[in-house]
């Protein structure tokens, strides 16, 4: 009897100890889950924000990718077809030769420019596609791919949201300014859809900007020699961006605000404008081009739209780069460098894409007496600097 009682008592204690261990393990598991959730909330952007940007900028990213890789291809039904007709982008798209068809891709680029192949206009469409890719990728990439050291609760994503909001408003305003011309061509559906997506995304950006306006700062770090909280994150990158992108922004601003205006201090600027058809769709009053093409300029509204669309997106890319050179400071916690790298990483890819387009059209431009070697060297330098200071 004594042996049986002892055995029962032992089993009871064993079950009791096992129950206690299970409770402890469950508490530890719950604690670990809470810690993981807290870390996710602190480091990662909200899932709702990611979803909205993926839907809105993602759709525009796909359209821009079409413009870059397969200019003139209709991928969104009648809306898209009307827009391609308005911008006259279908003249480079042909698919009647089976697998030999160029379909508006890179194989459609000719090494000699003629009035028939219009390589200058093709260059503008390709350049606009890769520039738009860069703008929308700048909003997508930081949210979809976590950058080292980036934390949502420390406000590291605020510059992306601010600049993305400005970009959305400007693009929407530009599309709205052409609504009358697009209505005459029956091509308002796709632009209205794009404006709607940008409006939704902008509202969400504003909400999260207000929500994070009092974001806390990280702990202060020891400053390296020559660094202060108000310093730029990298003087070398800042100087490079101001020099190279400064010139790019100047030319793009002219193409957007004063298309067709010749800047005499820029070598071969008149050749560039003639090659890209700016002297046809936007002849300046009092010039020979105005006499020759003034009456027919109204028939090239789609070309003017494409030219300004390209210039606008290049200006927006420059805006992102200038923000890292001027507006974003190093900070007492070193967060400025993290914020800048989130922008530099995408701008490196955008610069590489633009450089690629310039290289592809170098032959065609040369046949029109336009030398792109200086353009290639300057863009290559900026691309290398961005890549080194982002990924090295």
């Amino acid at each position: 009897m004594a042996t049986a009682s002892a055995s029962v008592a032992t089993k009871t204690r064993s079950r009791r100890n096992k129950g206690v261990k299970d409770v402890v393990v469950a508490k530890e598991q719950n604690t670990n889950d809470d810690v993981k959730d807290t870390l996710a909330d602190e480091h990662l952007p909200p899932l709702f924000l990611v979803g909205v940007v993926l839907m809105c900028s993602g759709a525009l990213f796909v359209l821009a990718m079409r413009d870059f890789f397969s200019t003139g291809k209709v991928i969104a039904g009648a809306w898209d077809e009307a827009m391609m007709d308005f911008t006259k982008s279908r003249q480079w798209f042909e698919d009647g030769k089976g697998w030999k068809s160029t379909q508006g891709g890179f194989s459609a680029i000719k090494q000699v420019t003629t009035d028939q192949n219009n390589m200058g206009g093709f260059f503008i469409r390709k350049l606009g596609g890769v520039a738009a890719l860069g703008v929308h990728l700048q909003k997508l990439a930081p949210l979809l791919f976590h950058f080292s050291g980036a934390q949502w609760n420390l406000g590291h994503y605020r510059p992306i949201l601010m600049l993305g909001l400005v970009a959305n408003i400007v693009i929407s305003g530009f599309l709205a300014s052409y609504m009358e011309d697009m209505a005459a061509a029956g091509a308002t559906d796709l632009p209205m859809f794009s404006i709607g997506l940008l409006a939704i995304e902008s509202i969400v950006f504003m909400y999260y900007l207000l929500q994070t306006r009092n974001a806390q700062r990280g702990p202060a770090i020891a400053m390296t020699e020559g660094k202060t909280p108000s310093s730029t994150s990298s003087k070398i990158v800042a100087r490079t961006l101001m020099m190279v992108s400064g010139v790019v922004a100047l030319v793009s601003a002219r193409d957007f605000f004063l298309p067709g205006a010749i800047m005499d201090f820029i070598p071969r600027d008149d050749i560039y404008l003639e090659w890209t058809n700016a002297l046809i769709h936007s002849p300046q009053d009092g010039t020979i081009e105005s006499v020759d093409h003034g009456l027919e300029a109204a028939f090239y509204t789609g070309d003017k739209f494409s030219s300004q669309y390209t210039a606008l997106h290049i200006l927006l890319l420059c805006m992102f780069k200038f923000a890292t050179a001027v507006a974003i400071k190093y900070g007492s916690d070193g967060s400025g460098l993290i914020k800048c790298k989130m922008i530099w990483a995408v701008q490196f890819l955008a610069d590489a894409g633009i450089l690629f387009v310039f290289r592809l059209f170098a032959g065609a431009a040369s046949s029109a007496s336009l030398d792109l070697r200086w353009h290639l060297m300057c863009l290559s330098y900026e691309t290398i600097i961005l890549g080194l200071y982002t990924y090295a």
Side-chain angles (χ1 to χ4, degrees):
M1 289 293 293
T3 302
S5 299
S7 176
V8 171
T10 301
K11 290 181 180 179
T12 302
R13 284 195 300 270
S14 177
R15 286 195 296 268
R16 187 178 300 161
N17 291 337
K18 183 179 179 182
V20 171
K21 289 180 180 179
D22 290 341
V23 171
V24 171
V25 169
K27 288 183 177 179
E28 289 179 351
Q29 183 66 38
N30 291 335
T31 302
N32 291 335
D33 291 341
D34 292 341
V35 170
K36 289 180 180 178
D37 291 341
T38 301
L39 289 175
D41 292 339
E42 290 179 350
H43 285 75
L44 303 179
L47 188 59
F48 178 72
L49 171 63
V50 175
V52 170
V53 175
L54 186 60
M55 177 188 70
C56 298
S57 286
L60 299 178
F61 180 87
V62 171
L63 292 175
M65 184 177 293
R66 181 273 313 277
D67 293 338
F68 180 43
F69 289 105
S70 187
T71 307
K73 183 178 179 65
V74 177
I75 62 173
W79 292 5
D80 197 26
E81 183 177 3
M83 194 64 186
M84 291 297 98
D85 289 335
F86 173 71
T87 59
K88 300 181 181 179
S89 297
R90 299 181 70 184
Q91 60 182 293
W92 298 282
F93 183 83
E94 63 86 18
D95 60 350
K97 298 179 181 179
W99 63 272
K100 294 183 179 180
S101 302
T102 58
Q103 297 194 9
F106 301 128
S107 59
I109 301 173
K110 309 300 181 183
Q111 293 305 302
V112 177
T113 294
T114 65
D115 292 338
Q116 287 71 32
N117 62 34
N118 190 14
M119 283 297 102
F122 198 25
F123 168 77
I124 289 296
R125 270 69 169 188
K126 289 290 187 188
L127 190 60
V130 73
L133 274 178
V135 171
H136 298 302
L137 184 63
Q138 185 64 81
K139 295 177 287 182
L140 284 164
L143 300 178
L144 296 178
F145 307 100
H146 186 259
F147 285 76
S148 177
Q151 294 189 43
W152 173 261
N153 68 322
L154 297 183
H156 293 166
Y157 291 84
R158 283 181 60 81
I160 300 295
L161 300 182
M162 289 181 184
L163 296 171
L165 175 62
V166 173
N168 287 353
I169 293 173
V170 171
I171 295 172
S172 298
F174 170 69
L175 293 176
S177 69
Y178 269 92
M179 278 300 162
E180 185 176 349
D181 295 313
M182 292 176 180
T188 58
D189 293 324
L190 187 61
M192 287 296 295
F193 176 71
S194 300
I195 291 174
L197 292 178
L198 292 171
I200 293 172
E201 188 177 73
S202 297
I203 293 172
V204 175
F205 280 174
M206 286 188 286
Y207 170 76
Y208 282 105
L209 281 171
L210 291 173
Q211 189 185 63
T212 60
R213 65 186 181 276
N214 296 320
Q216 63 187 43
R217 290 189 178 185
I221 62 173
M223 296 287 115
T224 57
E225 186 177 356
K227 282 287 186 185
T228 65
S230 59
S231 299
T232 57
S233 297
S234 172
K235 292 182 179 179
I236 294 177
V237 176
R239 284 195 294 264
T240 301
L241 295 177
M242 296 305 291
M243 287 189 298
V244 178
S245 290
V247 176
V248 173
L250 175 64
V251 176
S252 297
R254 184 277 310 275
D255 290 343
F256 183 72
F257 294 105
L258 294 171
I262 299 173
M263 295 191 290
D264 295 325
F265 59 90
I266 297 180
R268 300 279 182 174
D269 190 47
D270 56 337
I271 302 297
Y272 164 76
L273 293 176
E274 182 179 6
W275 185 56
T276 57
N277 302 317
L279 297 181
I280 297 177
H281 63 64
S282 302
Q284 296 297 297
D285 293 336
T287 62
I288 298 176
E289 290 76 19
S290 178
V291 176
D292 294 339
H293 305 292
L295 294 177
E296 60 181 323
F299 296 103
Y300 291 88
T301 304
D303 295 84
K304 183 178 180 180
F305 170 84
S306 297
S307 178
Q308 290 184 309
Y309 174 89
T310 299
L312 175 62
H313 283 83
I314 292 177
L315 282 172
L316 292 175
L317 291 176
C318 292
M319 175 191 71
F320 282 102
K321 289 182 277 192
F322 290 157
T324 66
V326 178
I328 301 177
K329 303 303 180 182
Y330 189 74
S332 60
D333 57 352
S335 61
L337 184 59
I338 297 173
K339 297 173 183 177
C340 287
K341 284 189 174 183
M342 294 170 69
I343 296 176
W344 292 344
V346 178
Q347 295 307 312
F348 163 74
L349 298 176
D351 273 11
I354 292 174
L355 178 63
F356 179 63
V357 171
F358 268 82
R359 182 62 188 89
L360 287 177
F361 283 91
S366 179
S367 71
S369 301
L370 180 62
D371 191 351
L372 295 182
R373 286 179 296 179
W374 281 100
H375 306 69
L376 292 169
M377 285 188 287
C378 292
L379 289 171
S380 297
Y381 176 66
E382 182 178 274
T383 304
I384 292 171
I385 291 296
L386 286 174
L388 284 175
Y389 281 83
T390 303
Y391 300 106

